[in-house]
Amino acid sequence: ACTITGNDHAFTLIEVLLALALFAISVVVLASSYVNVLLGLEAVRVDRVLEQEMAFVRSAVLTAPDLETIEEGGELPTAELGYAYWEAELEPTDVADLFIVHVSITLEGTARGEERTLEDRLIVLRPSWSEPLEREELRAASRERLAEMRLNRPL
């Protein structure tokens, strides 16, 4: 006959099931955290690649030889995202030789496989894009504004 005394140290079935349940929950939480970290790292990598491709297209737009090339737009092969198609719209400012360039870039091979269009706004000082007559008119207007500001300045 077997007798149970107070010195027996064994786990009951409920204690074992409770320990297994806690272990399973902790494994699920840790695994989902790991997956979230991996997804975050991939998103950062994709964003970095996208920013590098945008910088490449931006530099191509800014180094275009003439105004007509800028207004026509173009396409460029990128390092990782297929082709980039860009269009630019120039907006003159009140300052001579200063332009605002609105660039629209469509990337054909993004990480998710779909096309992605990005907008960018650049402020560019480019004397070769100005017409000489317009430049002189803008400079005269700037001189007048400066003279007016000097007169209205408190002493």
Side-chain angles (χ1 to χ4, degrees):
C2 180
T3 60
I4 299 178
T5 63
N7 293 338
D8 293 337
H9 298 288
F11 292 108
T12 64
L13 182 59
I14 292 176
E15 290 172 333
V16 170
L17 290 176
L18 184 61
L20 285 174
L22 287 174
F23 178 73
I25 289 171
S26 63
V27 165
V28 167
V29 167
L30 289 174
S32 67
S33 297
Y34 182 69
V35 168
N36 284 339
V37 167
L38 290 178
L39 290 175
L41 287 173
E42 179 63 19
V44 167
R45 188 193 70 76
V46 167
D47 286 346
R48 187 175 51 224
V49 167
L50 193 60
E51 184 57 38
Q52 288 172 348
E53 301 296 15
M54 286 284 294
F56 175 67
V57 173
R58 210 178 292 125
S59 69
V61 169
L62 292 177
T63 57
D66 56 3
L67 197 56
E68 290 78 26
T69 305
I70 295 287
E71 291 173 339
E72 286 175 10
E75 68 178 61
L76 296 168
T78 62
E80 294 189 36
L81 300 178
Y83 275 87
Y85 304 95
W86 60 273
E87 297 174 345
E89 182 180 314
L90 290 172
E91 178 183 331
T93 63
D94 293 338
V95 178
D97 303 329
L98 190 68
F99 296 90
I100 297 174
V101 182
H102 299 278
V103 182
S104 174
I105 302 168
T106 302
L107 296 168
E108 109 181 338
T110 59
R112 295 184 207 107
E114 77 274 1
E115 282 188 357
R116 186 168 178 186
T117 302
L118 305 161
E119 303 289 327
D120 204 357
R121 180 176 171 259
L122 310 169
I123 299 175
V124 180
L125 180 66
R126 200 63 94 223
S128 62
W129 292 356
S130 296
E131 295 294 326
L133 184 60
E134 290 176 12
R135 179 184 304 133
E136 288 308 315
E137 289 174 0
L138 289 173
R139 285 181 179 168
S142 293
R143 282 191 292 272
E144 288 175 16
R145 280 195 309 266
L146 287 172
E148 198 174 296
M149 287 173 51
R150 283 187 199 130
L151 289 176
N152 295 331
R153 178 174 64 192
L155 297 173

